[in-house]
């Protein structure tokens, strides 16, 4: 039985397969509309979500399956003190596959050790978010046609932003990737990612606080929200929350084929005036996320 806890649980060949399936779904959705008939997906969200939960649910419905679950832990037995392990043992009696989001890093890993069905990590604390990375990869593939030879700027909260950690892991396996890490000093990429991924694999990267200076060299600009819920101190959040706000004037020196991404939700990081720029890809990412989650569900359920 396969789980998806970390994006590196999938080989690059498997990521290529998922992209091919997603593209086939886009071309011929009817072919897939009964593939998961009588299968059930449980979405267990111990933390807020709009896109991830609803896109998993939409994905399962579009495959002809059905969905059960909860969207806040206060409406589950967690509120009575039930452990994650017990909740998972129970839900695996009802569902064929589980997508879970939890504020504690490693909770999906614990779940996978007791689950009778595949576990998908839909975000664990400030750690990983592999299915957002699948959405990001399909977006990069459709916009750029390649994963090699890209200069990727990651901007904002690189410390707590789990989507950034998973995306760096995924892109580190392709050739010719350079990262420009743009953040305030307090929100730099954690050492465990810098050391275990970038330095270990000899991947060129630079760290800067200056978005404007970095802009001209970027093929991809991945903006992120400052992760309010992970701060210990509200004053620090207030001081850092508006560190970067992308506005149309800041794109003057950007490449014409820059791809502007954001996992969403955005707060102030990208002004709505940027939404009309043809380089804005963040709402395309949302749709791509649904197709990749469809492909992932098919793979983990071993549906032909
Ligand atoms: C992200 C997350 O939950 O980590 N959202 C998402 O799933 N698209 C990003 C965020 O919350 O900032």
């Amino acid at each position: 039985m396969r789980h998806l806890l970390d994006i590196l649980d999938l080989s690059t060949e498997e990521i290529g397969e998922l992209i091919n399936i997603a593209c086939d779904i886009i071309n011929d959705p009817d072919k897939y509309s009964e593939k998961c008939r009588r299968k059930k997906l449980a979405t267990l969200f111990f933390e807020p979500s709009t896109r991830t939960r609803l896109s998993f649910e939409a994905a399962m419905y579009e495959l002809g399956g059905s969905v059960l679950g909860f969207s806040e832990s206060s409406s589950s037995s967690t509120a009575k003190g039930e452990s994650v392990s017990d909740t998972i043992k129970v839900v695996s009696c009802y569902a064929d596959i589980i997508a879970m989001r939890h504020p504690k890093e490693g909770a999906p890993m614990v779940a996978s050790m007791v689950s009778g069905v595949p576990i998908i990590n839909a975000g664990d604390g400030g750690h990983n978010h592999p299915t957002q990375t699948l959405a990001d990869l399909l977006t990069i593939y459709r916009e750029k046609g390649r994963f090699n030879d890209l200069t990727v700027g990651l901007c904002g909260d690189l410390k707590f932003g789990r989507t950034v950690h998973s995306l760096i892991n995924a892109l580190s396996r392709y050739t010719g990737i350079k990262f420009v890490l743009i953040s305030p000093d307090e929100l730099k990429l954690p050492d465990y990612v810098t050391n275990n991924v970038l330095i270990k694999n000899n991947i060129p990267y630079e760290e800067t606080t200056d978005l404007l200076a970095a802009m001209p060299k970027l093929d991809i600009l991945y903006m992120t929200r400052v992760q309010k819920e992970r701060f210990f101190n509200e004053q620090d959040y207030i001081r850092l929350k508006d560190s970067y706000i992308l506005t149309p004037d800041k794109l003057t020196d950007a490449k014409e084929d820059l791809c502007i991404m954001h996992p969403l939700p955005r707060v102030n990081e990208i002004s709505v005036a940027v939404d009309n720029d043809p380089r804005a890809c963040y709402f395309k990412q949302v749709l791509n996320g649904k197709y990749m989650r469809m492909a992932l569900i098919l793979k983990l359920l071993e549906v032909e």
Side-chain angles (χ1 to χ4, degrees), residues 45 47-53 101 122-125 128-129 131-132 160-164 222 224-227 229-230 262-266 269 293:
F45 277 65
E47 247 195 4
S49 168
T50 300
R51 271 149 297 276
T52 306
R53 184 172 63 84
R101 167 172 290 186
D124 63 326
N128 280 323
H129 193 345
T131 65
Q132 179 62 45
F160 297 117
R162 55 194 173 194
T163 66
V164 167
Y222 194 97
T224 61
R225 170 180 74 90
V226 176
Q227 306 280 298
E229 63 276 35
R230 315 253 179 254
H262 189 307
L264 303 179
R266 82 171 137 192
E269 313 78 57
R293 289 182 175 105

Side-chain angles (χ1 to χ4, degrees), residues 204-249:
Y205 73 95
E206 60 181 280
E207 293 184 304
T208 175
T209 54
D210 192 343
L211 172 60
L212 271 188
M215 193 67 87
K217 56 187 153 201
L218 303 180
D219 298 304
I220 291 171
L221 172 59
Y222 194 97
M223 298 294 295
T224 61
R225 170 180 74 90
V226 176
Q227 306 280 298
K228 180 179 186 190
E229 63 276 35
R230 315 253 179 254
F231 278 71
F232 293 113
N233 176 338
E234 196 180 355
Q235 284 319 106
D236 288 343
Y237 169 70
I238 291 169
R239 186 166 49 80
L240 294 168
K241 70 185 172 72
D242 292 327
S243 299
Y244 300 98
I245 301 179
L246 186 65
T247 46
D249 56 299

Side-chain angles (χ1 to χ4, degrees), residues 114-175:
V114 298
S115 178
V117 302
I119 296 286
I120 301 171
N121 177 4
D124 63 326
H127 192 211
N128 280 323
H129 193 345
T131 65
Q132 179 62 45
T133 300
L134 293 176
D136 300 342
L137 291 174
L138 181 58
T139 306
I140 293 170
Y141 180 77
R142 294 180 80 188
E143 298 302 316
K144 293 276 168 209
R146 66 181 195 278
F147 295 125
N148 298 323
D149 304 318
L150 293 168
T151 299
V152 182
L154 299 152
C155 177
D157 187 347
L158 311 187
K159 179 178 182 188
F160 297 117
R162 55 194 173 194
T163 66
V164 167
H165 307 158
S166 292
L167 184 59
I168 288 177
N169 265 295
L171 289 176
S172 71
R173 297 191 293 190
Y174 300 94
T175 56

Side-chain angles (χ1 to χ4, degrees), residues 1-4 96-99 115-120 300-301:
M1 189 174 55
R2 292 281 300 269
H3 306 285
L4 179 66
D96 301 286
I97 185 164
I98 296 172
S115 178
V117 302
I119 296 286
I120 301 171
L300 295 181
L301 288 179

Side-chain angles (χ1 to χ4, degrees), residues 122 193-194 241 247 283:
V193 185
T194 315
K241 70 185 172 72
T247 46
F283 289 106

